[in-house]
PDB file of all heavy atoms in Angstrom:
ATOM      1  N   ASP Q 129     145.584 112.630 -81.944  1.00  0.00           N
ATOM      2  CA  ASP Q 129     144.197 112.876 -81.542  1.00  0.00           C
ATOM      3  C   ASP Q 129     143.312 111.669 -81.842  1.00  0.00           C
ATOM      4  O   ASP Q 129     142.394 111.328 -81.067  1.00  0.00           O
ATOM      5  CB  ASP Q 129     143.665 114.103 -82.254  1.00  0.00           C
ATOM      6  CG  ASP Q 129     144.363 115.366 -81.798  1.00  0.00           C
ATOM      7  OD1 ASP Q 129     144.957 115.351 -80.692  1.00  0.00           O
ATOM      8  OD2 ASP Q 129     144.355 116.367 -82.554  1.00  0.00           O
ATOM      9  N   TYR Q 130     143.596 111.023 -82.963  1.00  0.00           N
ATOM     10  CA  TYR Q 130     142.787 109.868 -83.357  1.00  0.00           C
ATOM     11  C   TYR Q 130     142.982 108.716 -82.379  1.00  0.00           C
ATOM     12  O   TYR Q 130     142.024 108.041 -81.989  1.00  0.00           O
ATOM     13  CB  TYR Q 130     143.174 109.453 -84.773  1.00  0.00           C
ATOM     14  CG  TYR Q 130     142.411 108.257 -85.280  1.00  0.00           C
ATOM     15  CD1 TYR Q 130     141.055 108.359 -85.605  1.00  0.00           C
ATOM     16  CD2 TYR Q 130     143.050 107.026 -85.409  1.00  0.00           C
ATOM     17  CE1 TYR Q 130     140.368 107.269 -86.077  1.00  0.00           C
ATOM     18  CE2 TYR Q 130     142.358 105.927 -85.880  1.00  0.00           C
ATOM     19  CZ  TYR Q 130     141.015 106.046 -86.222  1.00  0.00           C
ATOM     20  OH  TYR Q 130     140.325 104.953 -86.689  1.00  0.00           O
ATOM     21  N   GLU Q 131     144.216 108.506 -81.974  1.00  0.00           N
ATOM     22  CA  GLU Q 131     144.478 107.439 -81.018  1.00  0.00           C
ATOM     23  C   GLU Q 131     143.814 107.708 -79.673  1.00  0.00           C
ATOM     24  O   GLU Q 131     143.284 106.800 -79.018  1.00  0.00           O
ATOM     25  CB  GLU Q 131     145.984 107.276 -80.836  1.00  0.00           C
ATOM     26  CG  GLU Q 131     146.672 106.704 -82.060  1.00  0.00           C
ATOM     27  CD  GLU Q 131     148.168 106.641 -81.897  1.00  0.00           C
ATOM     28  OE1 GLU Q 131     148.673 107.230 -80.897  1.00  0.00           O
ATOM     29  OE2 GLU Q 131     148.852 106.041 -82.761  1.00  0.00           O
ATOM     30  N   ARG Q 132     143.829 108.972 -79.276  1.00  0.00           N
ATOM     31  CA  ARG Q 132     143.169 109.302 -77.997  1.00  0.00           C
ATOM     32  C   ARG Q 132     141.650 109.170 -78.103  1.00  0.00           C
ATOM     33  O   ARG Q 132     140.972 108.765 -77.159  1.00  0.00           O
ATOM     34  CB  ARG Q 132     143.544 110.723 -77.589  1.00  0.00           C
ATOM     35  CG  ARG Q 132     144.977 110.865 -77.101  1.00  0.00           C
ATOM     36  CD  ARG Q 132     145.185 112.201 -76.395  1.00  0.00           C
ATOM     37  NE  ARG Q 132     144.911 113.318 -77.284  1.00  0.00           N
ATOM     38  CZ  ARG Q 132     145.852 113.916 -78.009  1.00  0.00           C
ATOM     39  NH1 ARG Q 132     147.110 113.472 -77.971  1.00  0.00           N
ATOM     40  NH2 ARG Q 132     145.526 114.923 -78.774  1.00  0.00           N
ATOM     41  N   SER Q 133     141.169 109.530 -79.287  1.00  0.00           N
ATOM     42  CA  SER Q 133     139.709 109.493 -79.459  1.00  0.00           C
ATOM     43  C   SER Q 133     139.174 108.065 -79.541  1.00  0.00           C
ATOM     44  O   SER Q 133     137.993 107.824 -79.237  1.00  0.00           O
ATOM     45  CB  SER Q 133     139.308 110.255 -80.717  1.00  0.00           C
ATOM     46  OG  SER Q 133     139.820 109.598 -81.873  1.00  0.00           O
ATOM     47  N   LEU Q 134     139.957 107.072 -79.941  1.00  0.00           N
ATOM     48  CA  LEU Q 134     139.505 105.690 -80.018  1.00  0.00           C
ATOM     49  C   LEU Q 134     139.108 105.153 -78.643  1.00  0.00           C
ATOM     50  O   LEU Q 134     138.117 104.408 -78.514  1.00  0.00           O
ATOM     51  CB  LEU Q 134     140.599 104.813 -80.615  1.00  0.00           C
ATOM     52  CG  LEU Q 134     140.833 104.962 -82.122  1.00  0.00           C
ATOM     53  CD1 LEU Q 134     142.006 104.103 -82.559  1.00  0.00           C
ATOM     54  CD2 LEU Q 134     139.581 104.601 -82.916  1.00  0.00           C
ATOM     55  N   SER Q 135     139.854 105.502 -77.637  1.00  0.00           N
ATOM     56  CA  SER Q 135     139.568 105.044 -76.285  1.00  0.00           C
ATOM     57  C   SER Q 135     138.631 105.965 -75.524  1.00  0.00           C
ATOM     58  O   SER Q 135     138.088 105.579 -74.496  1.00  0.00           O
ATOM     59  CB  SER Q 135     140.870 104.884 -75.504  1.00  0.00           C
ATOM     60  OG  SER Q 135     141.548 106.129 -75.457  1.00  0.00           O
ATOM     61  N   ALA Q 136     138.431 107.149 -76.027  1.00  0.00           N
ATOM     62  CA  ALA Q 136     137.619 108.116 -75.286  1.00  0.00           C
ATOM     63  C   ALA Q 136     136.179 108.145 -75.743  1.00  0.00           C
ATOM     64  O   ALA Q 136     135.255 108.059 -74.945  1.00  0.00           O
ATOM     65  CB  ALA Q 136     138.227 109.507 -75.396  1.00  0.00           C
ATOM     66  N   ASN Q 137     135.941 108.226 -77.028  1.00  0.00           N
ATOM     67  CA  ASN Q 137     134.572 108.507 -77.484  1.00  0.00           C
ATOM     68  C   ASN Q 137     134.395 107.964 -78.897  1.00  0.00           C
ATOM     69  O   ASN Q 137     135.205 108.201 -79.778  1.00  0.00           O
ATOM     70  CB  ASN Q 137     134.352 110.012 -77.457  1.00  0.00           C
ATOM     71  CG  ASN Q 137     132.877 110.372 -77.605  1.00  0.00           C
ATOM     72  OD1 ASN Q 137     132.120 109.642 -78.235  1.00  0.00           O
ATOM     73  ND2 ASN Q 137     132.490 111.489 -77.022  1.00  0.00           N
ATOM     74  N   ALA Q 138     133.358 107.212 -79.141  1.00  0.00           N
ATOM     75  CA  ALA Q 138     133.089 106.659 -80.472  1.00  0.00           C
ATOM     76  C   ALA Q 138     132.579 107.735 -81.411  1.00  0.00           C
ATOM     77  O   ALA Q 138     132.815 107.700 -82.629  1.00  0.00           O
ATOM     78  CB  ALA Q 138     132.057 105.528 -80.373  1.00  0.00           C
ATOM     79  N   ALA Q 139     131.873 108.731 -80.836  1.00  0.00           N
ATOM     80  CA  ALA Q 139     131.343 109.808 -81.687  1.00  0.00           C
ATOM     81  C   ALA Q 139     132.465 110.679 -82.257  1.00  0.00           C
ATOM     82  O   ALA Q 139     132.426 111.114 -83.422  1.00  0.00           O
ATOM     83  CB  ALA Q 139     130.366 110.682 -80.883  1.00  0.00           C
ATOM     84  N   SER Q 140     133.470 110.916 -81.430  1.00  0.00           N
ATOM     85  CA  SER Q 140     134.576 111.742 -81.916  1.00  0.00           C
ATOM     86  C   SER Q 140     135.439 111.013 -82.932  1.00  0.00           C
ATOM     87  O   SER Q 140     136.189 111.613 -83.691  1.00  0.00           O
ATOM     88  CB  SER Q 140     135.432 112.217 -80.743  1.00  0.00           C
ATOM     89  OG  SER Q 140     135.989 111.094 -80.083  1.00  0.00           O
ATOM     90  N   GLN Q 141     135.279 109.639 -82.931  1.00  0.00           N
ATOM     91  CA  GLN Q 141     136.046 108.865 -83.897  1.00  0.00           C
ATOM     92  C   GLN Q 141     135.659 109.216 -85.333  1.00  0.00           C
ATOM     93  O   GLN Q 141     136.504 109.261 -86.228  1.00  0.00           O
ATOM     94  CB  GLN Q 141     135.837 107.375 -83.627  1.00  0.00           C
ATOM     95  CG  GLN Q 141     136.641 106.477 -84.558  1.00  0.00           C
ATOM     96  CD  GLN Q 141     136.433 105.013 -84.253  1.00  0.00           C
ATOM     97  OE1 GLN Q 141     135.691 104.657 -83.330  1.00  0.00           O
ATOM     98  NE2 GLN Q 141     137.102 104.157 -85.031  1.00  0.00           N
ATOM     99  N   LYS Q 142     134.390 109.439 -85.536  1.00  0.00           N
ATOM    100  CA  LYS Q 142     133.930 109.803 -86.882  1.00  0.00           C
ATOM    101  C   LYS Q 142     134.527 111.132 -87.332  1.00  0.00           C
ATOM    102  O   LYS Q 142     134.987 111.292 -88.482  1.00  0.00           O
ATOM    103  CB  LYS Q 142     132.407 109.871 -86.905  1.00  0.00           C
ATOM    104  CG  LYS Q 142     131.835 110.146 -88.285  1.00  0.00           C
ATOM    105  CD  LYS Q 142     130.327 110.134 -88.237  1.00  0.00           C
ATOM    106  CE  LYS Q 142     129.736 110.388 -89.623  1.00  0.00           C
ATOM    107  NZ  LYS Q 142     128.252 110.383 -89.602  1.00  0.00           N
ATOM    108  N   ASP Q 143     134.549 112.103 -86.409  1.00  0.00           N
ATOM    109  CA  ASP Q 143     135.143 113.399 -86.759  1.00  0.00           C
ATOM    110  C   ASP Q 143     136.631 113.282 -87.069  1.00  0.00           C
ATOM    111  O   ASP Q 143     137.159 113.901 -88.015  1.00  0.00           O
ATOM    112  CB  ASP Q 143     134.933 114.392 -85.617  1.00  0.00           C
ATOM    113  CG  ASP Q 143     133.456 114.701 -85.384  1.00  0.00           C
ATOM    114  OD1 ASP Q 143     132.682 114.561 -86.381  1.00  0.00           O
ATOM    115  OD2 ASP Q 143     133.097 115.074 -84.275  1.00  0.00           O
ATOM    116  N   LEU Q 144     137.276 112.482 -86.255  1.00  0.00           N
ATOM    117  CA  LEU Q 144     138.707 112.299 -86.505  1.00  0.00           C
ATOM    118  C   LEU Q 144     138.951 111.628 -87.848  1.00  0.00           C
ATOM    119  O   LEU Q 144     139.894 111.929 -88.568  1.00  0.00           O
ATOM    120  CB  LEU Q 144     139.337 111.481 -85.371  1.00  0.00           C
ATOM    121  CG  LEU Q 144     139.430 112.176 -84.014  1.00  0.00           C
ATOM    122  CD1 LEU Q 144     139.932 111.191 -82.953  1.00  0.00           C
ATOM    123  CD2 LEU Q 144     140.355 113.380 -84.093  1.00  0.00           C
ATOM    124  N   GLN Q 145     138.047 110.656 -88.169  1.00  0.00           N
ATOM    125  CA  GLN Q 145     138.209 109.972 -89.443  1.00  0.00           C
ATOM    126  C   GLN Q 145     138.013 110.933 -90.619  1.00  0.00           C
ATOM    127  O   GLN Q 145     138.754 110.893 -91.606  1.00  0.00           O
ATOM    128  CB  GLN Q 145     137.202 108.824 -89.523  1.00  0.00           C
ATOM    129  CG  GLN Q 145     137.383 107.964 -90.774  1.00  0.00           C
ATOM    130  CD  GLN Q 145     136.440 106.777 -90.773  1.00  0.00           C
ATOM    131  OE1 GLN Q 145     135.628 106.608 -89.868  1.00  0.00           O
ATOM    132  NE2 GLN Q 145     136.563 105.936 -91.787  1.00  0.00           N
ATOM    133  N   GLU Q 146     137.020 111.829 -90.480  1.00  0.00           N
ATOM    134  CA  GLU Q 146     136.805 112.816 -91.542  1.00  0.00           C
ATOM    135  C   GLU Q 146     138.013 113.759 -91.669  1.00  0.00           C
ATOM    136  O   GLU Q 146     138.446 114.102 -92.780  1.00  0.00           O
ATOM    137  CB  GLU Q 146     135.540 113.614 -91.247  1.00  0.00           C
ATOM    138  CG  GLU Q 146     134.267 112.784 -91.370  1.00  0.00           C
ATOM    139  CD  GLU Q 146     133.020 113.597 -91.014  1.00  0.00           C
ATOM    140  OE1 GLU Q 146     133.200 114.762 -90.543  1.00  0.00           O
ATOM    141  OE2 GLU Q 146     131.914 113.089 -91.186  1.00  0.00           O
ATOM    142  N   ASN Q 147     138.535 114.164 -90.509  1.00  0.00           N
ATOM    143  CA  ASN Q 147     139.726 115.028 -90.564  1.00  0.00           C
ATOM    144  C   ASN Q 147     140.914 114.309 -91.207  1.00  0.00           C
ATOM    145  O   ASN Q 147     141.701 114.901 -91.954  1.00  0.00           O
ATOM    146  CB  ASN Q 147     140.115 115.486 -89.153  1.00  0.00           C
ATOM    147  CG  ASN Q 147     139.085 116.442 -88.559  1.00  0.00           C
ATOM    148  OD1 ASN Q 147     138.378 117.126 -89.312  1.00  0.00           O
ATOM    149  ND2 ASN Q 147     138.975 116.483 -87.237  1.00  0.00           N
ATOM    150  N   LEU Q 148     140.963 112.987 -90.879  1.00  0.00           N
ATOM    151  CA  LEU Q 148     142.049 112.220 -91.462  1.00  0.00           C
ATOM    152  C   LEU Q 148     141.910 112.103 -92.969  1.00  0.00           C
ATOM    153  O   LEU Q 148     142.879 112.227 -93.729  1.00  0.00           O
ATOM    154  CB  LEU Q 148     142.091 110.837 -90.811  1.00  0.00           C
ATOM    155  CG  LEU Q 148     143.239 109.911 -91.244  1.00  0.00           C
ATOM    156  CD1 LEU Q 148     144.576 110.556 -90.913  1.00  0.00           C
ATOM    157  CD2 LEU Q 148     143.110 108.549 -90.578  1.00  0.00           C
ATOM    158  N   ILE Q 149     140.670 111.873 -93.414  1.00  0.00           N
ATOM    159  CA  ILE Q 149     140.422 111.779 -94.861  1.00  0.00           C
ATOM    160  C   ILE Q 149     140.721 113.119 -95.532  1.00  0.00           C
ATOM    161  O   ILE Q 149     141.337 113.176 -96.612  1.00  0.00           O
ATOM    162  CB  ILE Q 149     138.968 111.343 -95.119  1.00  0.00           C
ATOM    163  CG1 ILE Q 149     138.769 109.904 -94.639  1.00  0.00           C
ATOM    164  CG2 ILE Q 149     138.623 111.477 -96.610  1.00  0.00           C
ATOM    165  CD1 ILE Q 149     137.323 109.450 -94.683  1.00  0.00           C
ATOM    166  N   SER Q 150     140.311 114.198 -94.892  1.00  0.00           N
ATOM    167  CA  SER Q 150     140.594 115.529 -95.454  1.00  0.00           C
ATOM    168  C   SER Q 150     142.102 115.782 -95.546  1.00  0.00           C
ATOM    169  O   SER Q 150     142.607 116.332 -96.538  1.00  0.00           O
ATOM    170  CB  SER Q 150     139.926 116.600 -94.590  1.00  0.00           C
ATOM    171  OG  SER Q 150     140.250 117.889 -95.082  1.00  0.00           O
ATOM    172  N   ALA Q 151     142.773 115.329 -94.488  1.00  0.00           N
ATOM    173  CA  ALA Q 151     144.225 115.499 -94.517  1.00  0.00           C
ATOM    174  C   ALA Q 151     144.851 114.678 -95.624  1.00  0.00           C
ATOM    175  O   ALA Q 151     145.800 115.108 -96.292  1.00  0.00           O
ATOM    176  CB  ALA Q 151     144.816 115.123 -93.160  1.00  0.00           C
ATOM    177  N   LYS Q 152     144.304 113.458 -95.847  1.00  0.00           N
ATOM    178  CA  LYS Q 152     144.828 112.639 -96.942  1.00  0.00           C
ATOM    179  C   LYS Q 152     144.584 113.295 -98.292  1.00  0.00           C
ATOM    180  O   LYS Q 152     145.449 113.278 -99.173  1.00  0.00           O
ATOM    181  CB  LYS Q 152     144.175 111.248 -96.898  1.00  0.00           C
ATOM    182  CG  LYS Q 152     144.634 110.397 -95.723  1.00  0.00           C
ATOM    183  CD  LYS Q 152     143.876 109.071 -95.663  1.00  0.00           C
ATOM    184  CE  LYS Q 152     144.210 108.226 -96.873  1.00  0.00           C
ATOM    185  NZ  LYS Q 152     143.512 106.918 -96.840  1.00  0.00           N
TER     186      LYS Q 152
END
């Protein structure tokens, strides 16, 4: 999802990053 979001939307990148941090 993060890889798809990098090319699709900068706003969704922040959400993905938060999800990634939560997952970490």
Side-chain angles (χ1 to χ4, degrees):
D129 293 340
Y130 179 71
E131 290 176 350
R132 287 194 300 267
S133 65
L134 286 176
S135 59
N137 193 331
S140 62
Q141 182 179 359
K142 184 177 181 180
D143 296 334
L144 291 174
Q145 185 176 2
E146 291 178 353
N147 292 334
L148 184 60
I149 293 172
S150 177
K152 290 176 65 179

